[in-house]
Every structure is written in structure tokens, then in C-alpha cells.
Amino acid sequence: KMALALERSVAFSAVRLACRIAERVRETEVTALAKTDASPVTAADFAVQAIVNNVLRKSFPHDAMVSEESSDQLRGNTPESASMRSKILGFLQQVDPAATDSDIDAALDFGKFPEGTVPSRFWTLDPIDGTKGFLRNDQYAIALALVQDGKVVLGLLGCPCLSQKLGTDSPRGSIFIAQHGAGCAMVGVDGSLDTAAPVRVSPGADPTQAVVLESVEAGHTAHDVSSVVLKTLGVAVPSVRMDSQAKYAALARGDGSMYLRLPRPGKRYEENIWDHAAGLLAVEEAGGKVTDVYGKPLDFSLGPKLTANTGVVATNGLVHDAAVAAVQAALQAATSH
């Protein structure tokens, strides 16, 4: 019997349900609550987190969870918060007809643990990774991962808008399931776990031919530094721009061979674990490599942030050393100006 078999199947059904509801939210209404860090948060963020956590807490009531949203944002007797709660409940009831208003808080706050402590086993979720992509009917991801003893052991990426083969009109919607030591597989959003097919990173070892996956949003990576990196490597093919951890998914199945998330020179930015945990495992289990800009493995044992790491370099493995060297040179040049 496979290790984590229950976790794998429960997580898969949670992500598959969430993909369906996220698309439904997007079709019916896209309203953004102003969030403190100015990223648009939609009813979808809350609905997806409520749905995923609601599924997880039934099978794993004692597990810990690190997720992006909290029910604090829905407290207070404002008309906005009341209307948002009733929307969330409506979506939750589409998958769990018996759900009540109090289930919203229980689900959103599932697995909360005291700040400053790190459980040896916890889930981490980004309900809608790439909110701006979601808002403009483009790429976004539902990213769920399980971390044990500081290592990501299970990672799922639900990508409702990622066609099953890039650049074709094949059906939209793919779910990636990666498990430590067991590979990475992909299945359509309507598929089942046992029909998922293994994916592998691209076989290209020549950095000049590397298809680079980049963020659409300028705020997410230092584009000027990354253009220096691509020049240094002599990359001669156009980049592919897409939002969210869909980039990790695309890398895992060979649509590109490099994804850089670089710090802005002179700025300290710590990555959130939920932005990388599932994507990292998908790429590693598909045969690729993920490190920070210094070539160090990402350390998930420190809490909600990757405090021991700077930036992220993800590749098909074959161009990794060249990419890390070029990134370091470009960052040094940028900080010495």
C-alpha cells in the first residue's frame, strides 16, 4: 500500500472540487475585497480555502494548516463582509449542501497553530495563486502541499485554465499531483487520480535554447535582472509569460526549462511557503531542480516564510548550474551599481 495514500486521494478530491468552484465563481462574479497588501482578493479566495479545508478537516481533524486567508477578514458587521459570507456559503453548499455559516469560520481557520511554532506535519494552501490572472481570465493555480519534517512530501497544483497541452486548443484545466519519491502526474480537471499520466521536464541541456517561464506581473520578479541573466546565458528563444504556480506546472511537463523568481537588488523579500511548496515538488518529481539564487535547497521547516532562502531558481535540472551562476553574476552586477 502506498504511503500517504489517504492524504493523496483526499487532497486530490479537495483540489478538483476547488477547481470547479473557482471557475464557477469567476463566471458568476469577480469582486475584489481590498486586502491590506493591495492584491485583489475575490470571493474565490475564501470559497476555495473554505472548500479545501472543509474536505481536509473531515479526514484529518488534527492536522495543522498554513494558508493565506483567515476568517478575521470576514468578521465585523459590515455589509461587505455579510454579503461576502453569504456568497462563500453559497459556493460551499454547492459541494457540501449541509454546510452552515459557522462552517465558514471552522473551515477557513482549520489547523491554525500558535505563531512562532512549527508543527512537524502541516498542510499549506494558496487558494487562488495568481489572483490577477484569475481576474483577467488567464492562468492561476490552486496550490496545496503537505510538509513533513521540513520536506514537501505531497504537492497538488490545480490549474483550471492550463490547457492539457500548451499552445493547443486541447481541453482547458489540468491537475498535477506530485509525491516525494513517486513522481509527478497530470490529469484533466474532470479526471480521476488513477488516470493521471506521468510528466517529465524538458530534455534540453543547452541554455541558449531554454524556454524561460516568467511572471506577467512586474512586481513579482526583477525583470531587468532576469533579462541580464538571459543575456548572460545567451538565451535565443522568446520567454513565455504566465501568472502563478502554473509556471511550475508548465516546467514540470516540459513546456519550458527555466523559471526565475529573483529578488530586487537591495530589497529584502521573503517568499511565502504556499507560493512554492506544491510547485517545487512537481518540478523535482518530474526530474527538475529547484533551489534559491545561491543554489541552496528551499527550507520549509521555518514557518510561513522561506526565511533561510533568497529568490527561487527552478529548471529542468540540466541548465540549473548555468542558471544559478548567471543569476549570481547578474545580482552582483546590479547591487554594485
Side-chain angles (χ1 to χ4, degrees):
K1 187 170 156 352
M2 190 171 198
L4 301 178
L6 181 63
E7 285 84 348
R8 185 185 173 98
S9 100
V10 169
F12 178 75
S13 51
V15 168
R16 190 174 56 179
L17 280 177
C19 286
R20 199 159 74 217
I21 294 299
E23 283 297 273
R24 214 168 281 172
V25 176
R26 184 155 69 170
E27 284 150 18
T28 50
E29 40 139 346
V30 167
T31 53
L33 265 182
K35 193 176 164 193
T36 47
D37 67 0
S39 61
V41 172
T42 54
D45 265 315
F46 289 114
V48 165
Q49 184 162 316
I51 284 161
V52 170
N53 286 3
N54 198 43
V55 172
L56 291 177
R57 74 190 176 116
K58 289 178 177 169
S59 292
F60 308 107
H62 306 299
D63 272 4
M65 163 62 87
V66 177
S67 45
E68 192 165 21
E69 314 304 340
S70 92
S71 68
D72 298 349
Q73 294 157 277
L74 299 173
R75 304 235 196 267
N77 299 327
T78 64
E80 294 80 21
S81 136
S83 111
M84 185 60 86
R85 289 184 77 94
S86 75
K87 278 173 193 162
I88 296 166
L89 185 57
F91 290 118
L92 185 55
Q93 286 171 337
Q94 292 183 26
V95 300
D96 184 357
T100 63
D101 183 74
S102 65
D103 289 321
I104 295 176
D105 299 316
L108 288 178
D109 297 334
F110 157 71
K112 284 263 180 291
F113 52 88
E115 218 170 303
T117 63
V118 183
S120 62
R121 164 179 158 128
F122 63 89
W123 298 88
T124 183
L125 170 70
D126 193 341
I128 301 282
D129 181 33
T131 350
K132 295 193 173 91
F134 175 84
L135 291 172
R136 61 163 190 272
N137 196 20
D138 210 339
Q139 296 305 332
Y140 67 99
I142 294 162
L144 175 65
L146 178 63
V147 177
Q148 280 181 343
D149 303 320
K151 296 264 184 286
V152 187
V153 292
L154 191 62
L156 290 92
L157 290 174
C159 305
C161 293
L162 190 62
S163 55
Q164 286 164 33
K165 201 166 173 0
L166 195 68
T168 66
D169 53 6
S170 62
R172 264 191 10 157
S174 312
I175 298 176
F176 293 74
I177 311 101
Q179 185 173 337
H180 182 67
C184 178
M186 178 184 83
V187 67
V189 275
D190 300 320
S192 64
L193 205 44
D194 50 13
T195 57
V199 294
R200 293 295 293 170
V201 291
S202 70
D206 176 1
T208 65
Q209 297 306 304
V211 173
V212 179
L213 298 151
E214 291 197 272
S215 295
V216 176
E217 299 293 332
H220 280 245
T221 187
H223 276 310
D224 43 349
V225 178
S226 70
S227 57
V228 173
V229 172
L230 306 196
K231 270 202 196 77
T232 307
L233 290 170
V235 171
V237 289
S239 295
V240 172
R241 292 201 177 227
M242 67 169 71
D243 289 288
S244 84
Q245 284 182 73
K247 290 186 283 294
Y248 277 118
L251 180 60
R253 69 175 185 189
D255 293 338
S257 40
M258 194 186 308
Y259 162 41
L260 307 174
R261 192 159 161 125
L262 307 179
R264 302 205 142 170
K267 280 222 172 77
R268 180 79 184 114
Y269 175 74
E270 291 178 344
E271 299 286 345
N272 298 311
I273 58 172
W274 53 76
D275 286 328
H276 301 285
L280 162 127
L281 194 63
V283 168
E284 288 184 342
E285 286 297 324
K289 189 164 183 185
V290 182
T291 65
D292 69 5
V293 296
Y294 301 110
K296 282 190 352 195
L298 304 188
D299 184 350
F300 289 89
S301 69
L302 304 170
K305 302 252 180 204
L306 293 170
T307 49
N309 299 105
T310 304
V312 177
V313 176
T315 71
N316 64 352
L318 299 167
V319 298
H320 200 82
D321 293 347
V324 167
V327 165
Q328 286 181 27
L331 287 172
Q332 264 158 3
T335 44
S336 59
H337 287 328

